[in-house]
Amino acid sequence: WQIKRYVWPDIVISFLLKLMVFISTVLAMAFVTRLLRNKAERWMNTIQEHATPLVWIFGIWFIISIPLLTYHTWINQHEKPLSKKIVSSYSADRPNIILVTFDALTALDMSVYGYNRPTTPFIDKWAETASLFTKVEAGSNYTTPTTASLMTGKRVWTHQTYFVRASVPSKGRTESLPLILRNNGYYNMALVANDSASVKSLGISDAFDVSYEMNDLSDPHALSDIIQAILNRIFGNSLKLYAWFLANDFFLDRFIYNISPDVHETGFPPKKAFSKFLSLIDNDHQEPFFAWLHLFPPHSYYLPPKPYSGMFNASPELRTFKSQKNELGILFGNEYYGHFGQEMQPAANLFRDRYDEYIRYCDSEFEDFITELAKRDRLHKTIILLSSDHGESFQHNFISHNGPDLYEQLTHVPLIIKEPGQTQGKVINDIVEQVDIPATILKLAGIPVPSWMEGRSLIPLLRGEHLPLHPAFSMNFEGNPSLGHQITKGTIAVWEGDYKLIHYMSDNKSLLFDLKDDPEELNNLFSKEPEISQHLLTSIKDNLRRANERMAEYKENAINDF
């Protein structure tokens, strides 16, 4: 199973074939056991002689661990912050800052960005008196590296967070947005409903005064989610290292799926996180505060409650957890993302209908949140930023996110900034990056931007001024080891003016698009526009070379320090 997963990840294996392999393995084991039965008793006696002391040691340690585990898992569990710090002084003249990010929300399916469905009616109206950025590109195409960029202001090839599990930003404990804010008098709160983006997973929990994670912000209905929640409570962040047995392509997931009742709506309602945050500010008046609220929807599975379910497609299909999981299994073998054949595009379109309904639900939840803040008179000195970690794809024969592709549905994310007392809306069409958001937050708070942040403040654009033309980058490096190793595999995209180039390193293949004339990215101009193609490809290679040089220096310093 492990060899297939890492050597041939794109090959789809049916459940029947997995069962045949399993039965064949059992029969082979039985044959070998019978063949060696005469030697087995002698081997077992030898093993027993050497293993008995170890068994006693393990048994004693197990008995000691039971009360410790019980105490730390249940008795000592409460709704206090994960890390509570005492800050000597808070600067009351600085604004409060709330960063709201919806997981897997692409700007291309939001009506505020011109989408043909009314998916965001409240945000449409709210943005009329806010600053709306029309061309914001995420640093990658899945949660962990993009949220690392949001919290550090560094591109992926700099913070080196490439994986969902056991990967934290380089220097994240000493170089992060929340740490700077905290050192300048901010009271920091994190409410992150996706475990892949939790402040513990990102290694920045010490920079927050209050932190809540997925278990605190979810109301799981599916049996698999309930089991995951229980295991998370017992094992915490360490579960990520050992949770292969819960993977979608392992047989235990199928067993749990078969015995589970079906689920019709999400177990991760945004209201849970919004209510928790409102409760915090109702009972704790420390200001100024910085709050990061990362909501799980509209991340798959796409299960909005009524009346949103069926709003854009009245078909009864794909309205439940099991129906969506079954269809994805047909598409690409029980994973929730991947490439599919063109003949499956109608199914992908129906998934997109459910996704759009999910966005409509998120819009309503965000409206309720803003209404509650207004009731509490919290808007007069609070800056609100609405964004996302990455997008979601239903085109280019790819569904969901992750993977090698960096098309616009995956990288084009929203960014709307509403300042206190702002009455005039502003639409900003400059190309900007996700890594610009942390620098912008610091400048909005009146705090200097450190030199190690690669992003730049967007304040000049907010004030009607201009910024020099600047290329934007996005990348996926899942095939590389992190922390000091050279980047040799992956995909990198660069934007400059109307042009975008996507370079696949392993295949040495590049795609060039003119997004002004071809927003759907259907016409590859790489061979037709050689001058622009080579310019953008050189930009990618030069920046990658510099990133690899920094990694070599990082590794050498680490060895010398050791």
Side-chain angles (χ1 to χ4, degrees):
W1 176 80
Q2 289 283 5
I3 292 173
K4 184 268 169 193
R5 183 174 185 184
Y6 292 106
V7 178
W8 301 293
D10 296 329
I11 298 178
V12 177
I13 297 180
S14 66
F15 178 74
L16 180 60
L17 182 56
K18 292 179 182 178
L19 184 62
M20 291 174 61
V21 171
F22 175 74
I23 293 173
S24 301
T25 304
V26 171
L27 293 175
M29 290 168 61
F31 173 76
V32 171
T33 301
R34 180 174 178 80
L35 190 66
L36 301 176
R37 66 187 184 278
N38 293 329
K39 299 181 179 180
E41 184 176 356
R42 177 164 52 87
W43 289 348
M44 289 303 299
N45 289 335
T46 302
I47 292 172
Q48 186 173 357
E49 290 177 5
H50 291 83
T52 299
L54 296 176
V55 171
W56 274 104
I57 293 173
F58 174 79
I60 294 171
W61 181 247
F62 177 76
I63 293 171
I64 294 173
S65 69
I66 290 176
L68 295 174
L69 179 64
T70 302
Y71 174 75
H72 287 288
T73 303
W74 285 283
I75 299 175
N76 198 34
Q77 285 291 326
H78 41 63
E79 284 203 341
K80 288 185 178 180
L82 292 178
S83 57
K84 183 78 175 179
K85 307 290 187 298
I86 299 174
V87 178
S88 57
S89 62
Y90 290 91
S91 179
D93 59 333
R94 298 190 192 274
N96 299 319
I97 300 171
I98 301 174
L99 172 62
V100 178
T101 50
F102 286 94
D103 203 301
L105 174 60
T106 179
L108 300 187
D109 281 37
M110 300 174 68
S111 53
V112 71
Y113 284 95
Y115 188 50
N116 58 9
R117 280 176 170 161
T119 52
T120 56
F122 171 74
I123 296 174
D124 295 357
K125 184 177 180 181
W126 183 71
E128 291 176 358
T129 55
S131 299
L132 183 144
F133 291 81
T134 63
K135 298 178 182 177
V136 184
E137 300 298 341
S140 187
N141 58 7
Y142 65 107
T143 297
T144 309
T146 54
T147 52
S149 290
L150 270 175
M151 290 295 106
T152 64
K154 302 177 183 180
R155 297 191 181 103
V156 179
W157 52 30
T158 301
H159 64 61
Q160 303 173 59
T161 307
Y162 307 152
F163 316 110
V164 173
R165 296 178 176 89
S167 183
V168 297
S170 172
K171 301 182 181 178
R173 291 189 180 275
T174 57
E175 298 180 352
S176 73
L177 167 68
L179 184 61
I180 295 175
L181 290 170
R182 194 171 176 280
N183 290 339
N184 282 272
Y186 271 83
Y187 184 82
N188 291 340
M189 295 172 275
L191 298 93
V192 181
N194 186 339
D195 193 48
S196 298
S198 74
V199 295
K200 274 191 172 181
S201 297
L202 297 178
I204 57 173
S205 58
D206 288 344
F208 285 90
D209 299 279
V210 178
S211 181
Y212 291 99
E213 297 188 316
M214 179 182 284
N215 278 8
D216 306 302
L217 306 174
S218 62
D219 185 18
H221 305 309
L223 181 58
S224 57
D225 291 336
I226 294 172
I227 292 174
Q228 182 82 34
I230 293 172
L231 291 174
N232 280 337
R233 185 164 292 280
I234 294 174
F235 297 106
N237 198 50
S238 298
L239 179 65
K240 286 187 174 184
L241 297 173
Y242 312 108
W244 54 268
F245 53 86
L246 292 177
N248 288 338
D249 52 352
F250 197 62
F251 77 92
L252 182 59
D253 177 76
R254 175 58 57 176
F255 173 74
I256 295 173
Y257 170 83
N258 287 332
I259 66 174
S260 300
D262 208 353
V263 173
H264 293 76
E265 63 181 71
T266 181
F268 306 93
K271 189 180 299 293
K272 190 101 173 183
F274 286 143
S275 297
K276 181 80 72 175
F277 169 73
L278 292 170
S279 176
L280 284 172
I281 64 173
D282 285 344
N283 297 303
D284 195 330
H285 298 285
Q286 288 178 301
E287 293 188 353
F289 61 74
F290 166 68
W292 177 32
L293 285 73
H294 185 79
L295 299 317
F296 195 77
H299 189 292
S300 60
Y301 296 93
Y302 317 119
L303 299 172
K306 294 179 180 180
Y308 308 100
S309 179
M311 178 176 285
F312 297 131
N313 189 321
S315 167
E317 298 180 17
L318 298 186
R319 291 206 195 184
T320 68
F321 168 74
K322 285 195 172 183
S323 64
Q324 291 188 18
K325 190 174 179 67
N326 283 340
E327 187 65 25
L328 291 174
I330 293 172
L331 287 173
F332 25 76
N334 293 325
E335 286 288 355
Y336 69 85
Y337 70 92
H339 288 92
F340 58 87
Q342 189 59 38
E343 72 279 0
M344 300 304 294
Q345 186 62 51
N349 293 339
L350 183 52
F351 271 110
R352 189 174 188 177
D353 295 337
R354 301 297 175 236
Y355 173 74
D356 289 346
E357 293 164 358
Y358 213 9
I359 294 175
R360 178 65 183 83
Y361 163 63
C362 292
D363 178 82
S364 178
E365 294 285 283
F366 184 68
E367 178 181 12
D368 292 344
F369 176 59
I370 297 298
T371 300
E372 290 298 322
L373 287 174
K375 286 180 181 178
R376 290 163 169 78
D377 193 28
R378 289 283 186 169
L379 298 178
H380 71 283
K381 60 176 300 184
T382 301
I383 299 169
I384 300 176
L385 298 92
L386 174 65
S387 191
S388 174
D389 52 350
H390 55 79
E392 193 82 332
S393 174
F394 302 93
Q395 296 174 309
H396 295 283
N397 298 331
F398 186 86
I399 196 167
S400 192
H401 50 272
N402 291 70
D405 294 329
L406 294 170
Y407 292 108
E408 287 297 286
Q409 274 204 325
L410 290 164
T411 63
H412 188 187
V413 294
L415 176 58
I416 305 172
I417 301 177
K418 183 69 173 286
E419 298 180 70
Q422 186 173 355
T423 58
Q424 296 293 321
K426 188 182 275 80
V427 177
I428 301 167
N429 296 316
D430 295 53
I431 294 176
V432 300
E433 297 182 82
Q434 191 172 55
V435 292
D436 296 331
I437 295 176
T440 304
I441 288 175
L442 290 179
K443 294 299 283 186
L444 286 168
I447 301 171
V449 178
S451 59
W452 47 259
M453 276 194 177
E454 291 179 285
R456 56 181 181 169
S457 168
L458 303 177
I459 295 295
L461 300 178
L462 294 177
R463 303 295 176 253
E465 302 169 7
H466 297 283
L467 284 173
L469 293 179
H470 194 67
F473 293 93
S474 183
M475 55 208 75
N476 183 300
F477 294 141
E478 289 181 277
N480 298 272
S482 58
L483 292 179
H485 292 83
Q486 299 289 291
I487 298 169
T488 59
K489 304 174 184 177
T491 310
I492 306 174
V494 61
W495 290 257
E496 191 172 296
D498 294 329
Y499 288 94
K500 171 185 179 181
L501 187 135
I502 306 173
H503 180 60
Y504 297 86
M505 296 172 62
S506 298
D507 299 330
N508 195 26
K509 180 182 74 172
S510 299
L511 309 175
L512 177 71
F513 302 106
D514 182 345
L515 296 180
K516 183 178 180 180
D517 295 334
D518 180 26
E520 298 291 324
E521 299 169 285
L522 300 176
N523 185 20
N524 180 15
L525 302 175
F526 186 77
S527 60
K528 298 176 183 178
E529 300 277 3
E531 186 174 339
I532 295 173
S533 298
Q534 288 305 314
H535 167 68
L536 294 179
L537 186 57
T538 300
S539 178
I540 285 177
K541 291 182 176 180
D542 286 347
N543 280 274
L544 178 61
R545 174 180 51 78
R546 285 192 286 269
N548 278 331
E549 288 172 356
R550 290 195 300 270
M551 285 179 208
E553 182 180 346
Y554 169 86
K555 191 171 185 179
E556 182 178 353
N557 291 338
I559 293 173
N560 291 336
D561 291 343
F562 179 78

